[in-house]
Amino acid sequence: MDKPLHPGGGSRRLKLWELEHKCHCPVVGVCFDLKRIRQLVGKVMVTTPQTTDFEIHVTAVRESGSRSALAELLQKELERQYALAVQRFKRARSTDELTALWRDALAITDIAGPLWATLTHPRCTPDLVQTVYGDIHMLQHQVGAGERADLAVLRRLQQEKTELLGARNQLQDKLTALRQQHAREMDELRQQLAASREEALRQEQASARYQGELATLREHLREKETPVALARRAQQAESRYTALRARTSELEHQVDRLQKENVQLAEALTRQPPSPTMPDAPAPAADDALVGRCVLCVGGRTGAAHHYRALVERLGGRFIHHDGGMEENLGRLEGSIAAADAVICQAGCISHNAYWRVKEQCKRTGKPCLYLKTPSLSTFVRSLEQLAQPVAAAPIPCPSEKAAP
């Protein structure tokens, strides 16, 4: 068993400046975000807004190699920020237990706390330091590739969002203008309706007055005037009464027409145009394109296997999965390939050993195999569409392995 890294062989945890120099870069890069590391460096050194993030990072890594003022400040911040992870890793009494805790931590999203707790643990050996360094190095490669693909999708979605927001704002402006116009027209109609009602009331009152006068005249004529005079006055009264009735009827029709127009305008303005919708996500065209075929997926993002399964079963196929040697035994990979009719290899998420095993056996057995650089659902969907065609698409070459810096 390798000896621990502790300078004195004791049980105390290592300080930042006591770590191997190659560990300072991943510790500074993973355990601090850019904004926080700039603040800490600015407390002990002179920086300007023109100082780049890379220059800040290089300065922090250089100063971490000795017990400088910045190194002590970074040590204090790391101990404060990751106290819970350090406390959890204290229960490891041996290098094997510490290694097991580190392996468990690789499955979670936030790896900063476990990284600091592992490298500074008294039972951390040079072999374990090299293992942790290699894991972080490869994890940064995978995260960088995934972030580039995600940024492209994010930029496209942001552009679509901007366009949709612009269309929505235009519709809202039109709706606001229509509402204001409707309010003005409603006010005008209310004023016209009120004036019509007043006019109708005056006409009704005049009609009632004229009817009373007509009745009085008739009575008066019957008592005092000659039949000819009575007839003439009666005829005049009848004419005035008929004219008033006609005017009253005309006003009533006008009031009814204005009320109907008011109702029709209100109904038209309450109808709003439909909201724009986002385009549907891509999906395979046929639901039975893989009936009777078994599809093996090697690698892929953690937790996405159930999505892959649902897509394959939707096309009528059967799905099996192997994580590419991350946790599962590589010895089971050959049996999985033999049981499959086609293979989808997530080349960016598996070990190099697993990649060459898949490539060699698929070439030897003639199994169709697609190599995917980007572990996304949209890429997986496109690969299923290729497998569903009579002749499978040519394999996508895997990027060459890079040497560790």
Side-chain angles (χ1 to χ4, degrees):
M1 180 179 297
D2 292 332
K3 296 176 63 179
L5 290 176
H6 198 290
S11 59
R12 74 170 180 85
R13 295 175 51 250
L14 297 178
K15 304 294 185 181
L16 175 62
W17 51 86
E18 295 174 343
L19 298 177
E20 293 186 30
H21 179 66
K22 68 179 181 180
C23 297
H24 294 148
C25 181
V27 167
V28 173
V30 173
C31 297
F32 296 99
D33 58 41
L34 295 177
K35 180 179 179 181
R36 185 56 179 159
I37 194 65
R38 181 177 289 272
Q39 292 174 346
L40 294 174
V41 172
K43 288 183 177 181
V44 296
M45 294 183 176
V46 177
T47 61
T48 65
Q50 288 73 34
T51 305
T52 64
D53 293 334
F54 177 73
E55 292 172 340
I56 293 293
H57 174 82
V58 170
T59 300
V61 171
R62 183 186 66 246
E63 293 297 315
S64 298
S66 61
R67 189 170 183 176
S68 61
L70 179 58
E72 291 185 349
L73 185 60
L74 296 178
Q75 169 74 24
K76 182 178 179 181
E77 178 69 11
L78 288 167
E79 289 296 298
R80 182 193 66 80
Q81 190 170 354
Y82 302 113
L84 292 179
V86 170
Q87 189 65 30
R88 180 162 55 89
F89 274 63
K90 276 186 177 181
R91 67 171 183 261
R93 301 301 180 185
S94 65
T95 301
D96 292 340
E97 293 179 0
L98 183 60
T99 302
L101 288 175
W102 169 250
R103 290 301 179 195
D104 293 340
L106 286 175
I108 64 176
T109 304
D110 187 4
I111 199 66
L115 172 65
W116 173 247
T118 301
L119 292 178
T120 58
H121 197 280
R123 296 295 176 263
C124 184
T125 64
D127 287 344
L128 181 54
V129 169
Q130 183 62 31
T131 298
V132 171
Y133 179 81
D135 290 340
I136 292 297
H137 179 78
M138 297 310 299
L139 185 62
Q140 288 175 330
H141 279 310
Q142 296 172 11
V143 170
E147 284 184 351
R148 285 193 296 272
D150 292 341
L151 283 175
V153 174
L154 179 60
R155 283 193 292 269
R156 178 175 58 81
L157 291 177
Q158 286 176 339
Q159 178 64 26
E160 293 176 356
K161 177 184 176 183
T162 301
E163 294 174 356
L164 290 174
L165 287 176
R168 187 197 67 178
N169 292 334
Q170 291 179 358
L171 290 174
Q172 286 180 341
D173 293 340
K174 291 181 180 179
L175 181 59
T176 301
L178 287 174
R179 286 176 175 171
Q180 293 174 351
Q181 181 181 357
H182 172 253
R184 290 192 299 268
E185 293 178 352
M186 288 293 294
D187 290 339
E188 294 176 358
L189 289 174
R190 290 191 185 99
Q191 294 174 3
Q192 294 176 8
L193 182 59
S196 299
R197 287 175 176 174
E198 292 178 358
E199 180 65 20
L201 180 59
R202 287 194 297 269
Q203 295 296 334
E204 290 177 358
Q205 293 173 351
S207 177
R209 185 173 68 252
Y210 292 148
Q211 287 179 354
E213 292 178 357
L214 180 59
T216 303
L217 288 173
R218 285 175 178 174
E219 183 66 25
H220 182 70
L221 288 173
R222 279 197 302 267
E223 294 177 353
K224 297 181 178 180
E225 297 187 1
T226 64
V228 176
L230 287 173
R232 185 172 58 252
R233 294 184 66 178
Q235 185 178 3
Q236 292 175 354
E238 288 286 351
S239 299
R240 290 196 299 269
Y241 176 71
T242 301
L244 289 173
R245 287 292 301 270
R247 178 58 178 166
T248 301
S249 178
E250 180 183 353
L251 291 174
E252 289 177 351
H253 287 309
Q254 185 179 1
V255 170
D256 291 339
R257 179 177 59 79
L258 291 174
Q259 289 178 341
K260 290 179 181 179
E261 291 179 357
N262 184 21
V263 172
Q264 293 175 356
L265 179 61
E267 291 178 352
L269 291 175
T270 54
R271 301 192 192 100
Q272 297 182 5
S275 300
T277 56
M278 292 293 289
D280 296 334
D287 291 339
D288 56 354
L290 296 177
V291 170
R293 300 176 68 183
C294 178
V295 178
L296 168 64
C297 177
V298 181
R301 290 181 175 175
T302 303
H306 64 285
H307 295 298
Y308 303 150
R309 182 183 301 278
L311 290 170
V312 173
E313 292 178 351
R314 175 180 174 184
L315 295 175
R318 186 166 59 87
F319 176 79
I320 55 178
H321 181 259
H322 192 286
D323 67 0
M326 297 302 178
E327 293 185 2
E328 296 186 58
N329 192 338
L330 282 178
R332 296 174 53 193
L333 185 57
E334 294 184 359
S336 299
I337 297 175
D341 297 305
V343 179
I344 296 177
C345 180
Q346 306 268 13
C349 301
I350 62 174
S351 65
H352 291 288
N353 190 11
Y355 166 76
W356 289 111
R357 286 196 183 193
V358 171
K359 184 173 184 179
E360 179 181 359
Q361 187 169 353
C362 287
K363 182 178 181 181
R364 178 166 48 83
T365 59
K367 294 288 178 69
C369 182
L370 298 179
Y371 298 89
L372 309 185
K373 294 181 179 180
T374 303
S376 65
L377 288 178
S378 60
T379 307
F380 190 84
V381 169
R382 289 195 294 271
S383 67
L384 291 180
E385 292 176 347
Q386 294 182 34
L387 292 177
Q389 297 175 359
V391 179
I396 302 173
C398 177
S400 60
E401 181 179 3
K402 297 181 179 179

